[in-house]
Amino acid sequence: MKSNWDNKLAKNMVDEYAHQGINQDIALRVYTSRLLGADPKLVIHGGGNTSVKTVVNDFVGDPTEVLCVKGSGWDLDTLEPAGLPAVRIKPLLRMRERETLSDEDMVNFQRQNLLDSASPNPSVETLLHAYLPHKFVDHTHACAVLSLTNQPNGIELCQEIYGEDASVVPFVMPGFELAKVVADVWEAKPKVLGVILHKHGIFTFAESAQDSYERMIDLVDRAERHIAKQSSKSFAVRIVPLKVPSNVASVSEVAPIIRGACAGRDDKHRLILEYRDSEQIKQWVNGKKLADYATRGVITPDHIIRTKNKPLICPLPKSESLDVFSTELDAAVVRYVEEYQAYFEANNAAQDPPKTALDPFPRVVLVPGVGLFGLGTSKKAAGVAADLAEISVATVLDAEQVGSYEALGDADLFDMEYWSLEQAKLGKGQAKPLQRQVAVISGGGGTIGQATARLFAEQGAEIVVLDLDGPAAKRVCDDIGGNALGLACDVTDAMQVRQAFDQICRVFGGIDILVSNAGGAPESWQGAAADLDEVVLRKSFELNFFSHQLMAQQAVRIMRAQGTGGVLLFNASKQAVNPGENFCAYGLPKAATLFLSRQYALENGRYGIRSNAVNADRIRSGLLTDEMINTRSSARGLSESEYLSGNLLGKEVEASDVAQAFLQQAIMDKTTA
């Protein structure tokens, strides 16, 4: 590991923040924090924290000694000064005199001493940063260090490697007790460059930002070099590979089955998937002893809230027997849940007051022949779980190269998993109505499609936009932000539709809501039924009926595989029930689509799949142009104003109104369907 310190970049950041009234100490703290956060071998997804002791003016302008420490909700790689809440340091130092301090009192006391009451909560390790006397303090969960500490003889091994340059502390839960232990250890050996926390991470410290950062790089580099010397013991060589058959199922085939099984086939526990298949991951999941080496526990207790302690191991799936795979997987999930519940009950017995059990379903799934899946309540959360699982694989491989990987015991991990301050990292905001659901909108680049995609995203859904115009679909997704997926797709082409849904399964794991919205009626398709060219009518049926059938077929295939129900929504149009003169090329297939929605409801209600249609009427869009408004209003003998407000309210209907209609159908309680 090499230092990425750059004097010019450091100075530029100091100068940049000086214009904002930010002092040099905080500017350099931000700079080195980002250097640490940019390397996933040091810090990943909210892990680690940094601090600086400095002087800033309080509200009335008096210079005040403070500790600026990373706040809750901030990541080191994107840290800003606002993510370093300033806490008055003298009161923190006085707290060391106490024998005990509850977590609740610690958090409350730290907040009482914030200079800005609107600041985020300071790190749970704020007191540890305060009790070390150095100006700059850095903390990471460096993978190489974890590979050394997660050994049966991890403490002795680190003492041998680091000698007088680092002290080693046995595992202690973060908080007041750990802060006092580390302070005592440092005072016993004040010349050390850092402190190793057994099976947790590493702290370094110095009077300058550069020295503290480069001490971290130095100590981690020593761990990496020690591991590299053990190349002859490479665990990767000792993984006996399975013979993966050629008929192993594809990602798109297994993802919906996994997604449904890991929700207990219950729509309330749906999770989003993130797939990984690097060469290292493939080697890992294809080992004959996967159930042994992959289930020994998390590499640092900080990961447990996002990955659980162990992954779910799947049977090897074969394309021609996915029903067998589904049955075996359901049984594996039941065993996983039972084991988690047993773990909870065994460790909860000693808790006072007792804890409330968390969701028992897995957050990491390993599939021989396929790869690794991270699961989460959102695409972002699933990506975090997958990232942590992937970095864990590399860390365990290094640990086995040194000796034998051994994680913390269940009791310590339970304390961390159910620690209120750790759970607070996940946030407690109320779930949005469509959270945990994947919504696919065809014709998503058009006016109604865009409005629907935006509204569903606001309500928490993961969004997929399909449109014949691929760039238009991507523009809608860029506007939505997050992990929205835009795909070019000709919905009248069965192959393209299948490929699109396979891609959706690969990216999100499945589908819960289909808004089959694509349609069209160019001016050349208009005319009396008796005079209508058969070619025109067939083209209209391809777009305005058969495309809906193709979309619904693929959606239902996936929804049945998931076993968690779903919603089919069709844009059928008012023309389906109130046809207009010279418009049958559009109205006839729309009437058939309305019937199609009823047919799907009849045949799929038993699977928990609801089907409904919205009869959108006279929405200004790419379909209903100014020219068509003139033509259609004339055909009905109405003025343009009368035509556009032809409803009981006498108001023009907008795309957002149609989107709201789709939304209400999507969130309708299935018990009232």
Side-chain angles (χ1 to χ4, degrees):
M1 181 163 286
K2 303 296 182 184
S3 170
N4 288 316
W5 176 276
D6 185 302
N7 285 323
K8 183 177 180 181
L9 293 178
K11 183 180 183 304
N12 288 344
M13 185 161 287
V14 169
D15 293 342
E16 175 187 343
Y17 281 122
H19 293 301
Q20 302 175 32
I22 305 297
N23 72 30
Q24 176 175 297
D25 292 340
I26 296 174
L28 290 174
R29 179 69 288 173
V30 170
Y31 174 64
T32 51
S33 297
R34 291 182 186 176
L35 291 181
L36 294 171
D39 190 338
K41 292 183 179 180
L42 291 174
V43 173
I44 187 168
H45 293 302
N49 39 69
T50 57
S51 70
V52 61
K53 299 173 182 72
T54 188
V55 175
V56 299
N57 291 335
D58 66 11
F59 185 73
V60 296
D62 292 337
T64 306
E65 295 180 0
V66 296
L67 173 75
C68 293
V69 61
K70 195 196 85 167
S72 176
W74 284 83
D75 286 342
L76 290 182
D77 61 336
T78 56
L79 192 68
E80 295 284 353
L84 290 166
V87 192
R88 294 178 179 86
I89 195 166
K90 289 182 179 179
L92 297 182
L93 296 176
R94 289 186 58 191
M95 293 303 290
R96 189 178 172 190
E97 301 168 7
R98 296 176 62 101
E99 289 296 321
T100 61
L101 182 66
S102 71
D103 294 332
E104 292 75 17
D105 286 343
M106 179 182 72
V107 172
N108 185 50
F109 185 74
Q110 289 172 180
R111 286 209 63 82
Q112 287 176 359
N113 285 282
L114 285 168
L115 255 63
D116 183 351
S117 63
S119 297
N121 278 339
S123 165
V124 297
E125 288 165 323
T126 292
L127 294 180
L128 195 161
H129 285 263
Y131 296 165
L132 289 169
H134 310 79
K135 189 177 186 69
F136 290 88
V137 179
D138 295 349
H139 171 47
T140 75
H141 302 142
C143 295
V145 173
L146 292 171
S147 292
L148 300 181
T149 63
N150 281 298
Q151 302 281 341
N153 64 334
I155 293 177
E156 295 78 13
L157 181 60
C158 288
Q159 289 172 336
E160 175 187 338
I161 292 170
Y162 292 111
E164 296 299 310
D165 286 340
S167 295
V168 185
V169 177
F171 180 79
V172 178
M173 276 278 290
F176 182 61
E177 183 182 355
L178 178 60
K180 294 184 70 172
V181 167
V182 170
D184 291 343
V185 166
W186 177 81
E187 288 173 353
K189 292 177 65 176
K191 294 184 179 180
V192 294
L193 307 178
V195 173
I196 309 295
L197 305 184
H198 187 50
K199 302 191 178 185
H200 177 173
I202 176 174
F203 276 85
T204 57
F205 27 76
E207 290 308 304
S208 76
Q210 182 176 359
D211 286 347
S212 185
Y213 164 72
E214 291 188 336
R215 285 179 178 183
M216 178 67 71
I217 300 303
D218 173 39
L219 295 185
V220 175
D221 181 62
R222 294 191 206 184
E224 290 182 341
R225 284 189 280 117
H226 180 83
I227 294 167
K229 290 178 182 177
Q230 318 301 316
S231 58
S232 61
K233 302 178 183 178
S234 175
F235 179 59
V237 175
R238 292 186 277 128
I239 295 180
V240 181
L242 287 169
K243 185 176 181 181
V244 179
S246 59
N247 60 345
V248 67
S250 68
V251 178
S252 60
E253 288 175 315
V254 302
I257 299 172
I258 291 170
R259 185 168 182 246
C262 291
R265 307 296 178 186
D266 184 340
D267 62 352
K268 292 182 176 62
H269 295 113
R270 289 174 177 141
L271 295 167
I272 308 300
L273 271 57
E274 169 77 10
Y275 174 62
R276 300 292 168 81
D277 66 342
S278 68
E279 286 304 313
Q280 188 173 70
I281 291 298
K282 287 180 180 177
Q283 183 185 48
W284 183 259
V285 301
N286 291 338
K288 286 185 177 180
K289 297 183 179 180
L290 177 65
D292 168 32
Y293 58 72
T295 59
R296 297 185 195 170
V298 289
I299 60 174
T300 177
D302 290 69
H303 289 186
I304 197 167
I305 59 171
R306 295 178 175 88
T307 66
K308 301 284 186 194
N309 190 29
K310 298 177 181 179
L312 171 71
I313 309 295
C314 291
L316 192 149
K318 298 180 181 179
S319 289
E320 73 276 9
S321 55
L322 289 173
D323 54 339
V324 174
F325 172 73
S326 182
T327 300
E328 293 177 345
L329 182 57
D330 281 340
V333 171
V334 169
R335 289 193 298 272
Y336 186 97
V337 169
E338 290 174 347
E339 289 174 5
Y340 183 86
Q341 291 170 335
Y343 149 83
F344 173 80
E345 291 167 6
N347 289 282
N348 195 41
Q351 301 294 315
D352 184 23
K355 307 292 186 181
T356 300
L358 299 168
D359 162 12
F361 293 105
R363 291 299 188 272
V364 177
V365 176
L366 306 178
V367 190
V370 178
L372 176 154
F373 291 91
L375 290 78
T377 56
S378 66
K379 182 63 174 177
K380 180 180 179 180
V384 169
D387 286 345
L388 295 177
E390 198 162 6
I391 206 76
S392 295
V393 168
T395 304
V396 173
L397 286 170
D398 282 348
E400 287 287 326
Q401 190 165 303
V402 172
S404 177
Y405 177 76
E406 180 184 82
L408 274 173
D410 280 356
D412 286 322
L413 289 172
F414 180 89
D415 288 343
M416 197 71 171
E417 183 177 5
Y418 282 85
W419 189 26
S420 60
L421 302 190
E422 192 72 358
Q423 284 294 324
K425 294 179 181 179
L426 299 179
K428 296 182 179 180
Q430 186 172 356
K432 294 182 178 181
L434 299 184
Q435 189 172 335
R436 297 171 175 253
Q437 299 192 57
V438 180
V440 179
I441 299 103
S442 70
T447 306
I448 293 174
Q450 290 183 49
T452 304
R454 291 191 185 101
L455 181 61
F456 277 39
E458 290 169 3
Q459 298 302 311
E462 305 295 336
I463 300 298
V464 181
V465 173
L466 305 183
D467 201 280
L468 183 63
D469 183 345
K474 289 180 171 58
R475 283 194 296 272
V476 173
C477 292
D478 289 343
D479 181 58
I480 290 171
N483 295 285
L485 175 66
L487 298 175
C489 181
D490 180 350
V491 293
T492 68
D493 185 319
M495 181 65 72
Q496 287 192 39
V497 172
R498 174 63 188 242
Q499 290 172 344
F501 277 82
D502 284 351
Q503 178 70 356
I504 293 165
C505 289
R506 186 180 179 92
V507 174
F508 294 105
I511 172 177
D512 305 296
I513 303 166
L514 169 67
V515 180
S516 192
N517 168 69
E523 188 78 22
S524 60
W525 289 8
Q526 296 184 45
D531 302 323
L532 194 62
D533 189 323
E534 179 183 342
V535 173
V536 167
L537 186 59
R538 290 184 181 276
K539 283 183 178 180
S540 183
F541 262 90
E542 285 293 330
L543 177 58
N544 293 306
F545 171 74
F546 284 107
S547 72
H548 296 288
Q549 164 67 349
L550 292 175
M551 295 287 291
Q553 278 183 319
Q554 292 302 316
V556 165
R557 172 180 65 84
I558 294 166
M559 290 173 180
R560 288 185 183 180
Q562 292 171 163
T564 57
V567 182
L568 305 176
L569 299 173
F570 300 87
N571 189 344
S573 171
K574 183 271 306 181
Q575 286 291 327
V577 294
N578 182 15
E581 186 177 345
N582 297 328
F583 212 37
C584 80
Y586 182 72
L588 285 175
K590 285 296 188 177
T593 297
L594 180 59
F595 182 87
L596 185 72
S597 71
R598 294 174 175 174
Q599 194 72 28
Y600 270 97
L602 174 69
E603 296 171 354
N604 292 281
R606 72 196 72 173
Y607 303 108
I609 300 171
R610 295 185 285 110
S611 178
N612 285 289
V614 170
N615 293 323
D617 183 23
R618 303 171 189 176
I619 313 300
R620 293 182 189 269
S621 64
L623 169 63
L624 193 61
T625 61
D626 290 343
E627 183 179 1
M628 183 174 284
I629 291 171
N630 178 268
T631 301
R632 299 311 309 150
S633 59
S634 297
R636 289 182 178 268
L638 301 171
S639 69
E640 291 187 10
S641 176
E642 290 171 330
Y643 175 75
L644 289 171
S645 59
N647 54 69
L648 294 178
L649 295 177
K651 294 183 178 180
E652 181 176 342
V653 181
E654 297 180 352
S656 59
D657 299 315
V658 182
Q660 283 288 348
F662 282 132
L663 176 64
Q664 295 308 312
Q665 294 290 347
I667 64 176
M668 183 173 62
D669 189 321
K670 64 184 178 182
T671 61
T672 64

